[in-house]
């Protein structure tokens, strides 16, 4: 692999070793002089990228929270609708049970009255039979 700035480009072929050394020292000093600025610029760039990332992350968090809140509201709405439906069903069942209970009470009352009539008839029959037995 060839470098784009070889000895010919830098004009080093015609230089002495000492001249080359001074030239390299100048390059190193130039790099060392600009290096802190370059590092500072890179740090600023990284800080800016981090800030942008944090802002993007915060926006994503807010969006996610809004989605979650929306989902939670939908679920709560469905649960409330389901609760109303169940309460309506329970109220209907209670009315049916009360109606059935009333019918059963009426039937039980009629049965008791029938038994009372039957008891009186049986007692009357027994009393009549006793009188016949005593008379005979």
């Amino acid at each position: 692999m060839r470098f784009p700035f070889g000895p010919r480009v830098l004009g080093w072929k015609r230089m002495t070793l000492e001249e080359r050394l001074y030239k390299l020292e100048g390059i190193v000093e130039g790099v060392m002089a600009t290096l802190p600025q370059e590092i500072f610029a890179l740090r600023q760039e990284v800080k800016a990228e981090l800030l942008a990332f944090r802002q993007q992350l915060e926006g994503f968090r807010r969006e996610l929270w809004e989605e979650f809140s929306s989902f939670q509201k939908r679920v709560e709405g469905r649960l409330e609708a389901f609760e109303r439906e169940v309460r309506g069903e329970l109220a209907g069942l209670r009315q049916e049970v009360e109606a059935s209970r009333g019918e059963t009470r009426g039937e039980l009352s009629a049965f008791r009255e029938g038994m009372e009539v039957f008891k009186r008839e049986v007692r009357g029959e027994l009393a009549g039979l006793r009188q016949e037995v005593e008379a005979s």
Side-chain angles (χ1 to χ4, degrees), residues 11-52:
W12 284 7
K13 268 206 166 181
R14 291 181 224 126
M15 292 184 177
T16 64
L17 187 62
E18 191 174 322
E19 289 172 334
R20 288 181 185 172
L21 184 61
Y22 282 123
K23 192 164 190 170
L24 283 174
E25 283 179 351
I27 292 171
V28 169
E29 285 177 4
V31 168
M32 292 301 287
T34 60
L35 192 59
Q37 295 168 352
E38 298 268 338
I39 290 174
F40 180 76
L42 280 174
R43 289 183 73 188
Q44 293 301 93
E45 191 177 320
V46 167
K47 284 181 181 180
E49 287 290 327
L50 278 173
L51 181 63

